[in-house]
Amino acid sequence: MDPELLKRISARRAELDELEEQLAKQLAEVRAERDELAVAERVLERVGKQLADERATAALAPRQVGGRTVMLIPHRAPDVEENVLPPDYQRILASVRQAAGPVMARQVGEMLGVDISVRAKLEPLRGKLVRLVDRGWLRKLPDGRFTTRL
């Protein structure tokens, strides 16, 4: 056999062995990074779910404002359902919807069983109606009547 040819074959085999070693190392790095990405995806999904749960809970949670506990009313948005509103606000919305047309705060009070002859009981209801208007859940007409949004 030709010694020069054997030398070239041996050199090529050494090159291929080195290339195989490099590729094996790269493959190990790719697999490790792929595993890290899978873990990152799971963590991201879990954190995303936790944040969504916290946001939903926070929308209902009472807050301290000026030393007083108040319930925050979320703004109306396509992904925000009515059930995030406190129950009394849900009843107010239902009353306005059930009315034949735009209603005054007094009429909503009657539907909810509020003693409308006592101004101190009607004004908090009016405040809630206005808050629902400010947050986009209801609409207030120029004459002071309230109606649902389309």
Side-chain angles (χ1 to χ4, degrees):
M1 234 189 201
D2 183 11
E4 187 60 35
L5 185 59
L6 284 175
K7 200 176 191 182
R8 286 178 39 203
I9 289 173
S10 181
R12 181 65 181 150
R13 182 171 285 143
E15 286 176 14
L16 292 175
D17 288 345
E18 187 178 324
L19 181 60
E20 181 181 27
E21 197 175 301
Q22 289 174 357
L23 291 173
K25 184 179 175 184
Q26 285 180 336
L27 182 60
E29 290 172 357
V30 165
R31 286 182 176 155
E33 187 174 347
R34 208 183 251 162
D35 291 343
E36 289 174 6
L37 288 173
V39 169
E41 283 178 327
R42 287 193 302 269
V43 168
L44 187 59
E45 285 176 16
R46 190 176 322 126
V47 169
K49 287 178 185 175
Q50 286 175 341
L51 286 175
D53 291 346
E54 288 174 13
R55 283 186 190 121
T57 303
L60 293 176
R63 301 274 193 234
Q64 288 287 327
V65 177
R68 294 177 51 201
T69 300
V70 296
M71 182 64 75
L72 298 179
I73 307 302
H75 286 274
R76 182 178 180 202
D79 61 334
V80 179
E81 299 290 327
E82 278 182 32
N83 60 1
V84 302
L85 294 172
D88 53 336
Y89 284 84
Q90 290 179 33
R91 285 190 298 275
I92 292 169
L93 275 176
S95 297
V96 173
R97 276 202 190 95
Q98 289 172 356
V103 290
M104 298 297 288
R106 210 173 259 293
Q107 293 169 285
V108 174
E110 287 173 349
M111 290 186 268
L112 295 174
V114 173
D115 184 0
I116 60 169
S117 64
V118 179
R119 185 178 180 103
K121 295 194 181 216
L122 186 59
E123 288 310 310
L125 173 62
R126 188 182 320 279
K128 289 178 180 181
L129 285 161
V130 169
R131 195 166 299 115
L132 287 170
V133 169
D134 292 343
R135 301 302 196 284
W137 294 96
L138 291 177
R139 201 166 45 115
K140 186 174 182 181
L141 302 176
D143 63 2
R145 295 182 300 159
F146 297 90
T147 186
T148 55
R149 289 216 169 258
L150 297 177

